[in-house]
Amino acid sequence: MFVERLKYAPAMAARSYDELMPTFDERGRLPERSMKVFWEILVRNGDVKAPIPENTLLDRQFIDSFSAWAPSA
């Protein structure tokens, strides 16, 4: 994806992947600190008047049931 969509050189794509992947939560939880900044930017830009409640944007059905269906390690 980094090479195809972002046009990264293969070496840079591999480095980016290695640096970013440990920060992703396999359960799909969104990082509170990052989401706070995300909403601050959208409010400041005038895209929204206030943060939109998560439950109007995200169906947590699979996130909350992760332990029931996730592959075992």
Side-chain angles (χ1 to χ4, degrees):
M1 176 177 149
F2 288 117
V3 175
E4 283 180 23
R5 305 254 172 139
L6 300 176
K7 309 298 184 206
Y8 282 18
M12 185 58 75
R15 182 176 174 190
S16 297
Y17 179 88
D18 291 343
E19 287 186 26
L20 290 173
M21 286 313 295
T23 68
F24 284 97
D25 182 338
E26 70 178 1
R27 288 170 173 77
R29 293 178 294 230
L30 301 173
E32 281 187 44
R33 184 169 167 232
S34 297
M35 292 309 298
K36 182 177 186 235
V37 172
F38 170 81
W39 287 114
E40 286 174 1
I41 291 169
L42 263 63
V43 169
R44 194 174 307 148
N45 285 343
D47 297 316
V48 296
K49 293 184 187 215
I52 299 171
E54 181 184 274
N55 64 356
T56 64
L57 300 172
L58 179 65
D59 178 353
R60 296 193 56 88
Q61 174 179 320
F62 295 112
I63 294 170
D64 294 341
S65 65
F66 181 80
S67 60
W69 56 265
S72 56

